[in-house]
Amino acid sequence: MLYSSMRSGGRAVFQVYPESPKQMELITEQATRCGFTGGVVVDFPNSTKAKKIFLCLFAGTPVANYKLPQGLGTEDENTVQYSNDRFTGKKRRRNGDVSRKEWIQNKKQKMRAKEKR
């Protein structure tokens, strides 16, 4: 049903929760029997809690240069991600010059005016 509803070259990705590796093999085998190509992508394969398993299916004839996406967390763990962005740790004020004390006083005045109505 899924294969017939997809056009040639269409892609579908499902997150699956197999109970065992044997069950995952069964799912991929049945998908290839139905005419799909593709495979399994595992995010964070070394983690027990964060591991996610995706079944990537391609309908129709495969494109010449198709390849499965790389799973997250599969890069070398000894490398450090580098970013050139700087974070100062301070939030910018939206109201510009208004201090916290002034803002609180203004808020109280607004609430008092609202109560008098």
Side-chain angles (χ1 to χ4, degrees), residues 60-110:
T61 56
V63 182
N65 293 332
Y66 87 97
K67 61 180 180 177
L68 291 174
Q70 185 179 5
L72 297 176
T74 57
E75 63 272 348
D76 187 18
E77 294 179 9
N78 294 330
T79 61
V80 177
Q81 295 290 335
Y82 175 74
S83 176
N84 202 14
D85 298 334
R86 296 190 116 210
F87 177 70
T88 60
K90 294 182 181 180
K91 293 182 182 179
R92 287 191 221 162
R93 291 188 184 163
R94 291 183 193 166
N95 297 339
D97 298 337
V98 179
S99 69
R100 184 165 176 82
K101 184 176 180 180
E102 290 172 352
W103 184 86
I104 292 171
Q105 289 174 346
N106 289 338
K107 180 74 172 177
K108 285 182 179 181
Q109 285 177 357
K110 288 179 188 176

Side-chain angles (χ1 to χ4, degrees), residues 13-96:
V13 179
F14 300 98
Q15 185 173 0
V16 294
Y17 303 95
E19 294 177 358
S20 65
K22 185 176 180 182
Q23 189 178 27
M24 195 65 231
E25 288 177 25
L26 177 69
I27 292 170
T28 54
E29 182 182 327
Q30 293 302 318
T32 54
R33 278 189 185 173
C34 292
F36 288 105
T37 56
V40 178
V41 176
V42 181
D43 282 352
F44 305 107
N46 299 327
S47 174
T48 55
K49 289 187 176 182
K51 184 187 292 187
K52 292 183 174 69
I53 301 172
F54 297 98
L55 178 65
C56 299
L57 301 176
F58 301 100
T61 56
V63 182
N65 293 332
Y66 87 97
K67 61 180 180 177
L68 291 174
Q70 185 179 5
L72 297 176
T74 57
E75 63 272 348
D76 187 18
E77 294 179 9
N78 294 330
T79 61
V80 177
Q81 295 290 335
Y82 175 74
S83 176
N84 202 14
D85 298 334
R86 296 190 116 210
F87 177 70
T88 60
K90 294 182 181 180
K91 293 182 182 179
R92 287 191 221 162
R93 291 188 184 163
R94 291 183 193 166
N95 297 339

